[in-house]
Amino acid sequence: SPPAIAPTMAAQDVKLFGKWTYDDVEVGDIALEDWIAVKPEQAVYVPHTGGRYQVKKFHKATCPITERLVCALQFKGRNTGKKNSAVRIVQQAFEIIHLLTDENPLQVLVNAVVNGGPREDSTRIGSAGVARRQAVDVSPFRRVNQAIYLMAQGARAASFRTIKSAAECLADEVINCSKGTIN
């Protein structure tokens, strides 16, 4: 008889860092469902795909949300290009989030992105001498981008010249953002 062939891994078996599943992650805001990539089709083991998400307009919306967070951590000159370091920081931050909340860190991150993006902004109306501010709604894609950027920037600022590690500060930032607290 032929040897038994091992079944191929389905998309449901993919777990981030081999620990956290994408199956039970829900996006709380219906407007952001298409812009936060946590569906099982976009599941990855490690948020380091090497994908070229900037080639087409709006293509970065298909980039896994954890990889978008990793890339956001790579700003400021001395961190530029250090993606493995940023992946390690996110992995450690997810461990801390899991210990503090007893929830799936992916779900906490999605809740943080939903709560963290602004719903309304202002723009300048007028030209030449007279310019005034006008309130405008923010697109869902910009809400996601702003939330990721602000969390990464807050974690970077909190960990600069302190004894707390970048992972601890990122975990605090994500947890506070997911709860909707100001701190």
Side-chain angles (χ1 to χ4, degrees):
S1 70
I5 299 173
T8 59
M9 292 184 69
Q12 291 85 307
D13 297 330
V14 177
K15 293 183 178 178
L16 182 66
F17 299 119
K19 294 183 180 182
W20 298 294
T21 180
Y22 286 83
D23 295 336
D24 54 349
V25 177
E26 297 289 328
V27 179
D29 192 343
I30 194 168
L32 301 179
E33 280 182 354
D34 295 335
W35 305 104
I36 298 177
V38 290
K39 297 180 187 86
E41 304 89 55
Q42 293 139 342
V44 292
Y45 292 105
V46 179
H48 194 318
T49 61
R52 296 171 51 206
Y53 296 106
Q54 79 285 0
V55 173
K56 282 194 234 167
K57 190 175 186 182
F58 299 117
H59 189 61
K60 75 176 174 183
T62 62
C63 181
I65 194 73
T66 50
E67 185 168 3
R68 304 242 353 243
L69 180 64
V70 165
C71 292
L73 290 174
Q74 294 185 82
F75 290 118
K76 294 291 189 184
R78 63 185 184 174
N79 300 322
T80 305
K82 297 181 182 174
K83 194 163 189 176
N84 287 333
S85 174
V87 168
R88 182 181 45 78
I89 289 170
V90 169
Q91 183 176 9
Q92 292 169 353
F94 276 18
E95 294 282 353
I96 294 168
I97 290 169
H98 180 66
L99 289 173
L100 293 177
T101 63
D102 288 329
E103 293 180 46
N104 185 349
L106 279 169
Q107 184 63 57
V108 176
L109 176 64
V110 168
N111 293 344
V113 170
V114 169
N115 292 340
R119 294 167 191 249
E120 192 175 270
D121 203 356
S122 62
T123 186
R124 288 174 48 103
I125 300 291
S127 59
V130 181
R132 60 188 177 91
R133 308 295 277 179
Q134 176 70 39
V136 292
D137 292 335
V138 177
S139 74
F141 194 39
R142 181 161 171 80
R143 281 180 61 192
V144 172
N145 293 345
Q146 283 281 104
I148 293 169
Y149 169 76
L150 290 172
M151 281 190 289
Q153 186 184 31
R156 186 182 312 111
S159 68
F160 188 65
R161 290 190 178 170
T162 59
I163 198 164
K164 285 179 78 173
S165 69
E168 291 170 328
C169 293
L170 180 63
D172 290 344
E173 198 74 28
V174 172
I175 290 170
N176 288 337
C177 197
S178 71
K179 289 179 183 174
T181 60
I182 297 171
N183 298 340

